[in-house]
Amino acid sequence: MTDSSGGWHRARSGRGARSERLSPAERRERRAAIDDPAVVLEAAARFLEVRARSVAEVRRRLGQAGYRRDLVESAIARLTELGMLDDATFARTWIESRDRARPRGEIALRRELALKGVDRAVVDELLDERRDAGGTGAGTGGAVDLAAAERLLARHARALAREADPRSRRRRAYALLARNGFDPETCAAASARMVEAADEATSENATADEATSENATADEDAGDEDGAEAGPQ
């Protein structure tokens, strides 16, 4: 009986705890009543712990959480003063990360940073620097976009190689690049280079195989001649 009663009480207390949980709307209502700037600043700092964010991302996150707009703007101003929020630094880091780990074309980079709320003038300046550093090349993204496109194709080389027909392989490569934000000129140039490189490699392998076969045949002929000379006199 004691165990049964104890279990009943625990079950009731558990149901009570569940019933006291606040809904998202209730949590937003409580946050809207907060008037301590330090609380909002701390919430913003926690949001920045995982990775760097744009100003718009922080503003959107705190606003959706329910904090008062004036306290949100105050937290953003303070974080900007501390150097923890800087859209130019954020965008530069984003572009460098993409170029290093997940190649994207300039079209995609612009689209991604626009979604992050980074001002277009900031993005224009950074992409101009990126283009100038890479030199001239096919397409609006210049040589740096072409190099990024080739890195992306190299990462998918095994899947693309399954397409035996060169024209089909080139179309698949073009489509892959287009999906990742490369302009038409860069897509065409990089996919053509990929097919040409694959054809050259196939030709070189074929030539090497022929040479190996010819050497093996010559060795066999020489062996036959030596055997004939060493035979009965």
Side-chain angles (χ1 to χ4, degrees):
M1 291 296 292
T2 302
D3 292 341
S4 175
S5 174
W8 181 78
H9 282 301
R10 285 194 296 273
R12 286 204 41 164
S13 64
R15 285 197 296 271
R18 286 195 294 271
S19 66
E20 290 173 2
R21 291 178 183 172
L22 299 177
S23 68
E26 288 171 329
R27 285 197 295 270
R28 285 194 296 272
E29 187 176 342
R30 285 197 175 186
R31 293 185 186 117
I34 293 172
D35 58 6
D36 185 354
V39 174
V40 184
L41 182 61
E42 183 181 352
R46 285 198 306 270
F47 185 49
L48 292 171
E49 285 179 355
V50 178
R51 66 166 176 81
R53 313 275 183 175
S54 68
V55 171
E57 283 183 292
V58 174
R59 181 180 288 116
R60 187 183 307 121
R61 176 62 174 261
L62 296 177
Q64 291 173 346
Y67 295 111
R68 281 169 30 190
R69 180 174 296 182
D70 60 324
L71 296 182
V72 170
E73 294 304 321
S74 175
I76 288 174
R78 181 57 178 154
L79 291 171
T80 301
E81 290 175 6
L82 294 171
M84 295 176 66
L85 269 181
D86 184 323
D87 274 0
T89 301
F90 167 78
R92 178 176 283 105
T93 301
W94 184 274
I95 292 170
E96 290 173 353
S97 175
R98 281 290 191 245
D99 281 340
R100 182 176 60 255
R102 299 178 62 187
R104 295 287 187 275
E106 188 172 300
I107 295 172
L109 294 173
R110 286 185 180 280
R111 181 171 59 243
E112 290 173 347
L113 291 171
L115 290 173
K116 299 296 182 183
V118 180
D119 187 80
R120 182 171 180 175
V122 173
V123 177
D124 285 344
E125 181 177 352
L126 291 173
L127 290 179
D128 284 346
E129 291 178 8
R130 174 179 180 266
R131 202 180 305 116
D132 292 343
T136 59
T140 57
V144 67
D145 248 18
L146 182 58
E150 290 176 341
R151 288 197 303 275
L152 182 61
L153 291 180
R155 294 185 178 198
H156 292 79
R158 183 174 298 179
L160 292 168
R162 296 192 190 105
E163 192 66 59
D165 180 55
R167 288 175 298 182
S168 297
R169 195 184 319 131
R170 183 172 179 174
R171 284 195 297 268
R172 286 190 61 186
Y174 187 105
L176 171 65
L177 295 174
R179 288 196 302 271
N180 282 277
F182 293 94
D183 60 79
E185 293 83 359
T186 300
C187 292
S191 56
R193 283 191 182 189
M194 180 205 69
V195 172
E196 290 171 1
D199 289 345
E200 289 177 3
T202 300
S203 177
E204 289 175 0
N205 289 337
T207 301
D209 290 343
E210 289 178 3
T212 300
S213 178
E214 290 175 357
N215 290 337
T217 301
D219 290 342
E220 290 177 0
D221 291 344
D224 292 342
E225 292 176 0
D226 291 342
E229 291 176 0
Q233 299 296 322

